[in-house]
Each structure stands twice: as C-alpha cells, then as structure tokens.
Amino acid sequence: MERIQRQRSNPTSSTQSRSNKFRSNPMTKDHKIPNTNNPDDSTDSAKSRRGHVDDCSNLPALLGTCPFMCPVAERGQRERLRDLAVFERLHGNPRKTSADLAVKKFCRTISIKHMPTSDLRPLPVLEDTLDYLLSLLDSAEHPFEVVHDFIFDRTRSIRQDLSMQNIVNEKAIYMYERMVKFHVMSLHKLRSCSNANISSVHYLNMEQLTKALTTLFNLYDSNRSSDSIYENEAEFFSFYVLLHLGYNTQPTGESLSLWFRHMPVPIIKSKEMCFARRILRFFRMGNYKHFLLTTAAEASFLQYCILEPYISEVRVLALQCINNGGYKLHPYPLAHLSKLLMMKESDLVSLCDACGLETRTDEVGNKLLPTKQTTFCCPKGGSQSYGFLDLELFNSWMGHGLGGGWKWFV
C-alpha cells in the first residue's frame, strides 16, 4: 500500500509559534497514552500528555547558551563529588572528566523560574549530545545494563532541555523518534540481561518509552500543516498498538477501537498500522499460526522488539492447545510442530520441558510429543525467546541484539 510521505516545513520556523500550536493540540485529548504516574511529572494528566509545555507557558521563552554537553558548573561540582559515570571519567579517573565526556544529568527538582540560560543547551548542542549518546550503543566494554542506565538518564535530560525551551519543531520530532527507538530496542536487549534488578529497569524503560511516545504524537500533530503524515509516523503509531497487545482495553479505560476512530486516515491505511491491527486480531483470536507467519514475514526490527514476548506467549498457547486437543494414542511429531511454530526442533524440546511436557523418541529416532499430559504449566517468569526457523535476518537480530546498533538511528 502506498504510503503518504510527509509535507516538509521549514525546520527553522518560529519555535514560539510552534509552541503555541502545541499547547492547544487536540491530540492530547484523543490520543491517550497510559498514565505512568512518574513522580517528576505533573499529576494533571493533560499536562503530562503535553510533555510539560504548560509548565512554562506563562514564562518568557528561554534560549539556552551552554555550548557543551554538560554545563561547566555541573561538571565541576560532579568532579568534586565524584559523581561521574564510567563513560565520563577521563582515563578512568572517577574525579576527573572533560567537556568531551561529561553529559548533563537529569534533575527531577529543577525549576524553570531560576534556570540560568548558561545551564540550558541549545538545539544544535542537544542534537550533537544525542548523536554521542547513541554512538555508545556499540560499546562492548560494558554490560548493556550499564550502557542503558547512562543513555536512559541523559536522554531524559535532553527531553527536559527541549521542553524548557519549548522546542517543538521538526528537528525535535527527529530527536524524539531516535529516543523512542532507543527505548524500543532496549525492550529486546534488556530481556537477555540477568541483573537482579532487571525487572525494575524494564518497568522504567517502558515508562519513559510511553512518555516519549506521548510527546512525539503531540509533536506530529502540532507540526501538521495538512492531511499528510510524516515519513515514520505510521510506524511509531503502530508501536502504540503493539505495546498494548495483551489488553482488551487501554489502562486509561479507552478501548483501542475508540482510539482508532481518532486516527488520521493515512495512518489507518498505512501498511504499518494494517500489520499492527492484523497482529492484534490474530493474538486475541489465539490464531498462533497466522500470528507467527505474519510476524516473520512483515515485522520491522523495531516492531519485532515489541512483539518478542508475545511470540513466546503465542508458542506456549499453541503447545497448550495441541496438548489438550490431541489424540492420546497418536503423539504429535516434533518435526511438524517445529515448522508450525517456526522454531528449531531442539528449541522446541526446551520449550516443552519449560512447560512441563515430556517428549519421547520412537523406534526410528523421531521425536514425539505425547498429548493429554496433565503436567502442562506456563513457564515461570516467562518463557525464553527463541529465533525463527530458516529466517536468518530475525535470528541475527536476536543473536546480536544491539550490536551495530548505531545504524538503526541514522
């Protein structure tokens, strides 16, 4: 299906006029995102969905003058307090950094009324800072949890500086798209981490992904000059649907069917949204065969990162159906089942074991799954993620995660 490309507007147009349109954005009413109740956000849901723009609506517009990734005063203070992340230490010294290494931290209690412009980074500096942060994804010296923690905090600071200066133009859209991509890719990579606190990291990553998407949707609408859509807009809206795959209604109480009614027609007709709606239908119908086939054939890498846990859930559902519905005297051949579930036979044996199902081998060496077993159970803590049979692209994504991750943000 032919995509409607975005109408280009002048990125250097007045930031102030953009911010006025942003504050009256109808998307804040219609396109709801779950309330994440972040302590650093206003308790007023409308303000939360507008990404704090209202917080500075009655104040003069600020224009940052800081030429560095981190203000000089903050850099000196953090050196004295030895508050330097591992990526900020000059030659590994926890008490020494430089302008090329230090990045401004997110501050929860910041006040715009007393914010000196020398502590705010202008848009070009913020763009360079984001480039630097995302380049760290290729770092092999530290576990991903460490890399994620650093980028997670520093991108929040970037969003804070954008908000405080009411920067809501097309360049801000591009920056938010890249930050959303970071959080989406992190969904996949964090699943392979074994840190004891990884569940809380997952929660916080999902929370900030939701907030970044909220602001991105508002930015799309505030910069829209006609019925056209932005080049990547449909895919980012599809993320919203896929993130709520397991819910019949949204946590805010609005059903997805009602949410779809507010969607611009070009987005509804886009191939990305058509894919997301088919996946949603197959998942809720329990149609595991078409769910897996459609995912393998059409999902983008970023959509796959969101779908990964649901793929495992669907495979477990398929095992349960086959176990309960099979004929006891005729065990199910694993060779056929592995093709149906699009996974290696050895991985299927592991999945059966995780679900409490025994497998056996017949006299000619074929592996079989006896049905009607009463020991079936859903894997505790979620099932392991397995690749797709004969799909090297998906398997390379899963095997290498964010290796070469920088290319996904260009």
Side-chain angles (χ1 to χ4, degrees):
M1 184 178 295
E2 182 178 355
R3 292 182 63 174
I4 299 180
Q5 300 298 324
R6 74 183 195 185
Q7 292 284 340
R8 293 186 176 272
S9 58
N10 185 2
T12 61
S13 60
S14 171
T15 298
Q16 187 64 36
S17 63
R18 293 290 193 194
S19 63
N20 290 336
K21 188 175 180 181
F22 187 65
R23 281 193 288 273
S24 60
N25 180 10
M27 291 279 282
T28 59
K29 175 181 177 182
D30 296 333
H31 293 264
K32 295 182 179 179
I33 291 290
N35 181 12
T36 49
N37 297 317
N38 195 327
D40 63 278
D41 281 346
S42 168
T43 55
D44 183 273
S45 61
K47 286 186 179 182
S48 176
R49 289 194 297 272
R50 284 193 290 265
H52 303 288
V53 172
D54 280 355
D55 293 347
C56 46
S57 59
N58 297 321
L59 297 173
L62 295 177
L63 182 60
T65 59
C66 176
F68 307 112
M69 293 192 296
C70 181
V72 175
E74 178 184 325
R75 194 165 72 231
Q77 181 185 42
R78 289 171 55 203
E79 282 182 330
R80 291 191 298 272
L81 297 176
R82 303 181 69 173
D83 183 22
L84 298 174
V86 65
F87 299 100
E88 300 175 307
R89 299 171 184 176
L90 186 63
H91 306 306
N93 187 343
R95 305 183 69 170
K96 191 68 176 176
T97 186
S98 70
D100 295 328
L101 296 176
V103 184
K104 182 180 178 181
K105 291 183 68 175
F106 171 76
C107 181
R108 189 184 304 276
T109 58
I110 199 167
S111 172
I112 190 172
K113 294 181 180 179
H114 305 99
M115 170 62 65
T117 57
S118 59
D119 285 351
L120 282 175
R121 297 161 294 180
L123 181 59
V125 176
L126 292 173
E127 290 177 309
D128 291 341
T129 302
L130 184 58
D131 284 343
Y132 169 71
L133 290 174
L134 296 180
S135 70
L136 296 177
L137 288 172
D138 288 333
S139 173
E141 300 179 16
H142 305 282
F144 180 74
E145 304 96 299
V146 176
V147 178
H148 176 270
D149 182 66
F150 182 69
I151 300 177
F152 176 93
D153 178 85
R154 299 326 192 251
T155 51
R156 290 186 75 185
S157 178
I158 288 177
R159 285 157 49 197
Q160 191 174 53
D161 278 15
L162 287 170
S163 176
M164 295 182 75
Q165 298 175 82
N166 278 339
I167 300 175
V168 294
N169 56 23
E170 286 195 350
K171 290 187 176 181
I173 287 178
Y174 180 59
M175 292 181 68
Y176 265 91
E177 286 181 343
R178 300 174 80 198
M179 288 185 280
V180 168
K181 286 181 181 181
F182 160 70
H183 288 295
V184 170
M185 294 174 72
S186 295
L187 292 176
H188 163 68
K189 190 63 176 177
L190 287 171
R191 293 187 186 106
S192 62
C193 299
S194 57
N195 190 296
N197 299 320
I198 202 63
S199 60
S200 63
V201 177
H202 263 294
Y203 175 83
L204 292 174
N205 182 71
M206 182 67 76
E207 184 180 61
Q208 294 307 312
L209 168 57
T210 301
K211 291 181 182 297
L213 268 178
T214 302
T215 305
L216 179 58
F217 291 165
N218 291 329
L219 287 171
Y220 282 142
D221 194 68
S222 67
N223 284 273
R224 201 184 311 282
S225 57
S226 66
D227 293 333
S228 63
I229 63 174
Y230 283 82
E231 182 179 1
N232 302 315
E233 189 173 353
E235 182 175 22
F236 283 92
F237 269 98
S238 77
F239 295 164
Y240 179 87
V241 178
L242 299 179
L243 283 168
H244 296 77
L245 205 59
Y247 298 91
N248 291 322
T249 59
Q250 298 190 36
T252 55
E254 183 185 42
S255 67
L256 276 177
S257 60
L258 181 59
W259 182 79
F260 280 128
R261 294 179 186 178
H262 305 306
M263 195 71 51
V265 173
I267 294 179
I268 286 291
K269 293 184 176 180
S270 67
K271 65 182 182 66
E272 294 87 353
M273 188 58 74
C274 288
F275 163 78
R277 297 180 74 179
R278 287 201 309 276
I279 287 293
L280 177 68
R281 182 170 64 254
F282 294 147
F283 183 83
R284 292 186 174 173
M285 291 174 58
N287 190 335
Y288 53 84
K289 179 178 179 180
H290 284 90
F291 179 93
L292 295 172
L293 286 173
T294 303
T295 298
E298 300 181 31
S300 68
F301 171 64
L302 294 172
Q303 289 170 331
Y304 173 78
C305 289
I306 298 174
L307 284 171
E308 188 177 0
Y310 298 109
I311 293 171
S312 301
E313 185 177 336
V314 163
R315 283 169 167 164
V316 171
L317 171 66
L319 279 182
Q320 184 180 25
C321 293
I322 290 171
N323 177 63
N324 293 339
Y327 185 44
K328 190 171 184 178
L329 297 179
H330 292 87
Y332 206 97
L334 288 192
H336 177 70
L337 186 55
S338 67
K339 294 179 180 179
L340 184 64
L341 301 185
M342 303 186 70
M343 59 192 303
K344 294 179 181 179
E345 192 170 318
S346 57
D347 291 338
L348 180 55
V349 172
S350 299
L351 180 60
C352 289
D353 183 64
C355 292
L357 299 176
E358 294 183 358
T359 58
R360 63 181 178 85
T361 305
D362 64 13
E363 59 277 2
V364 295
N366 297 319
K367 293 184 178 181
L368 306 170
L369 173 67
T371 58
K372 302 296 185 183
Q373 297 186 47
T374 60
T375 55
F376 176 87
C377 62
C378 291
K380 295 181 180 180
S383 59
Q384 179 182 342
S385 295
Y386 300 101
F388 278 92
L389 185 66
D390 297 328
L391 291 178
E392 296 302 326
L393 180 60
F394 271 78
N395 296 335
S396 65
W397 286 346
M398 292 191 65
H400 298 92
L402 291 181
W406 177 239
K407 69 180 180 180
W408 296 101
F409 297 91
V410 176

